[in-house]
Amino acid sequence: MDLSYSPQEQAFQAEVRQFLADELPDDIAARVKAGGEVSKEDTERWHAILQSRGWLGQTWPEEHGGPGWGPVERHIFDEEAARAYAPRILPFGLQMLGPVLIKFGSDEQKAHYLPRILDGTDWWCQGYSEPGAGSDLASLKTKAVREGDEYVVNGQKTWTTLGQHADWIFCLVRTDGSGKPQEGISFLLIDMKTPGIEVRPIRLIEGGHEVNEVFFTDVRVPAENLVWKENDGWTVAKYLLTHERTGIAGVGFSIAAFERVKALAARTMRGGKRLIDDPLFAARLAEVEMDLEAMKIFNLRMLAEAQRVGHPGVETSMLKIRGTEVRQALNDLYRRALGPAAAVMPGEAPGGNAAVLAPEDEGAAASYFNNRKISIFGGSNEIQKNILTKAMLEL
């Protein structure tokens, strides 16, 4: 198998590198490199830069404003963007809702919402998980009752990422409780300014405010905000999740993280020799490198298949499992390479341990703790194994 890029793909790679060198703001790249918080303003600025080049809606068809890239182009962009420390593209509108509207939305919904996602008018968040319905999503209890031309929504969503910034939320709601758990679910678009919505912050282990609880009390939603058919939202939900899991794997981020760990180990001296020459550390690094190389090939195969059939398939569950395990392993190796100074987060170091770290390394502990969640959200890795088992055994 020849995995080399063609001359056309090499030219595209050079174009992406030059674009990133010219257009990626230095202050944003510095924050990403240091593992610091990327603000709403940073994200909106980066999205606007990408959109000015026509590169923001990367998975969208050209007729809806996408760049018309194939799987290799998307892989090249992800790899180069991560290597240049570009922030991630916020997935909720662009990589999750956008493809859903393109496949399941009405013509009116596509005409109204898709341009507003690309130009940054609307910041979207996701209303899937609930206190008793995370990995077991079909157990959701947030209700929407039809009253004339409106739905009245009551319930609670949780782990709502960046919901404090959102203008809109796409929600799974229960519109019928009489059948199987997967039946009677609908997919609604809800304006976050609607009376009856309350957003409360959840503080994560590293102290950041990334996720929230969202409460709905008699929230009235126009019936025209229903996507697809009432009580058939599970079909929409599954389609959206395949797009979400592809992004969670973060292959580009892992490639950049591996190169960073390898370079750090090569310049770090421990016990009179380079850390990269330590047999135990080298073995751990080699194991991650093999997994990463296998994941890169699998990612390309999965993207090519998604291009062929029009959407990602059940293979995204495999990518999500291995992708999150590799990212967590790299976080662990990074902290091991930094040594005792990386044991705590900046500002909490007794005796000034954090002061011995370079500025770009001060976020190592925060990144390590924050990324413990990636093997849980988007459907935990245990749930992904169940999905794969059912698909293989045709259950």
Side-chain angles (χ1 to χ4, degrees):
M1 179 183 293
D2 183 6
L3 297 176
S4 303
Y5 290 142
S6 68
Q8 293 81 5
E9 291 161 350
Q10 290 176 16
F12 177 75
Q13 184 181 43
E15 181 185 359
V16 172
R17 285 179 178 173
Q18 190 61 52
F19 169 78
L20 292 165
D22 294 341
E23 302 294 341
L24 176 61
D26 292 339
D27 60 321
I28 295 179
R31 274 191 284 281
V32 174
K33 186 176 183 179
E37 181 179 349
V38 177
S39 68
K40 178 184 180 185
E41 291 72 25
D42 290 338
T43 298
E44 290 178 330
R45 187 155 49 121
W46 180 232
H47 281 192
I49 291 169
L50 289 171
Q51 178 59 11
S52 68
R53 186 65 170 256
W55 286 1
L56 185 57
Q58 298 178 1
T59 60
W60 296 18
E62 287 184 272
E63 62 265 34
H64 293 297
W69 289 351
V72 176
E73 285 83 2
R74 293 205 295 274
H75 176 79
I76 288 172
F77 181 88
D78 286 346
E79 188 172 350
E80 296 300 327
R83 186 175 284 129
Y85 297 106
R88 68 168 183 161
I89 295 175
L90 197 68
F92 307 109
L94 290 157
Q95 297 168 358
M96 296 162 70
L97 180 62
V100 160
L101 290 176
I102 290 169
K103 183 172 179 63
F104 296 100
S106 66
D107 290 341
E108 292 77 13
Q109 288 170 340
K110 292 174 189 174
H112 178 75
Y113 293 110
L114 293 178
R116 295 167 66 92
I117 293 173
L118 287 179
D119 69 17
T121 300
D122 296 330
W123 179 296
W124 286 85
C125 64
Q126 181 183 27
Y128 268 31
S129 294
E130 298 182 3
S135 296
D136 184 15
L137 191 57
S139 297
L140 65 90
K141 298 186 182 318
T142 295
K143 288 186 178 179
V145 178
R146 183 74 180 258
E147 291 186 1
D149 293 333
E150 295 178 320
Y151 288 97
V152 180
V153 180
N154 283 282
Q156 178 188 353
K157 297 294 179 179
T158 193
W159 308 122
T160 312
T161 302
L162 301 178
Q164 71 270 33
H165 302 314
D167 303 296
W168 287 77
I169 183 170
F170 52 86
C171 275
L172 292 179
V173 294
R174 186 160 297 286
T175 43
D176 186 347
S178 61
K180 295 178 181 177
Q182 291 82 2
E183 298 172 350
I185 292 174
S186 299
F187 191 99
L188 280 184
L189 310 178
I190 303 177
D191 187 339
M192 291 289 281
K193 296 185 292 297
T194 310
I197 295 179
E198 180 185 2
V199 180
R200 298 178 188 172
I202 299 174
R203 291 290 172 185
L204 295 178
I205 190 171
E206 90 284 10
H209 175 196
E210 187 179 13
V211 293
N212 303 271
E213 296 175 290
V214 181
F215 296 85
F216 301 86
T217 305
D218 294 329
V219 175
R220 306 191 78 85
V221 181
E224 64 189 26
N225 290 12
L226 172 72
V227 176
W228 194 231
K229 303 172 185 174
E230 186 175 281
N231 299 329
D232 197 19
W234 191 247
T235 301
V236 182
K238 289 190 295 182
Y239 182 82
L240 184 147
L241 285 170
T242 60
H243 288 271
E244 182 184 18
R245 288 165 189 154
T246 306
I248 292 173
V251 177
F253 290 115
S254 289
I255 293 170
F258 174 79
E259 292 176 355
R260 187 174 184 178
V261 171
K262 191 174 180 180
L264 177 63
R267 66 174 184 270
T268 299
M269 300 299 293
R270 196 162 295 167
K273 61 182 180 182
R274 298 188 312 162
L275 181 60
I276 201 169
D277 296 325
D278 176 87
L280 180 57
F281 191 90
R284 287 171 168 161
L285 196 61
E287 183 176 0
V288 173
E289 184 175 20
M290 288 186 285
D291 286 342
L292 183 55
E293 287 300 314
M295 196 170 68
K296 286 162 61 177
I297 297 170
F298 181 69
N299 185 51
L300 281 170
R301 288 175 56 191
M302 192 207 66
L303 290 172
E305 180 65 10
Q307 181 92 348
R308 187 181 70 82
V309 303
H311 58 83
V314 70
E315 314 83 39
T316 58
S317 293
M318 296 174 65
L319 189 65
K320 195 265 181 178
I321 293 169
R322 294 305 292 152
T324 54
E325 290 174 346
V326 166
R327 288 177 69 184
Q328 290 175 342
L330 285 165
N331 284 140
D332 179 64
L333 281 176
Y334 186 41
R335 291 187 74 204
R336 288 177 183 274
L338 288 172
V344 293
M345 290 178 280
E348 296 182 352
N353 274 349
V356 305
L357 291 175
E360 63 268 24
D361 295 326
E362 289 185 350
S367 296
Y368 173 87
F369 286 118
N370 187 284
N371 277 344
R372 305 314 298 169
K373 69 180 187 295
I374 62 177
S375 53
I376 300 174
F377 71 30
S380 70
N381 286 3
E382 288 73 19
I383 290 294
Q384 304 312 310
K385 292 173 184 176
N386 285 344
I387 292 172
L388 289 166
T389 301
K390 288 181 178 178
M392 292 169 61
L393 299 178
E394 300 181 352
L395 297 176

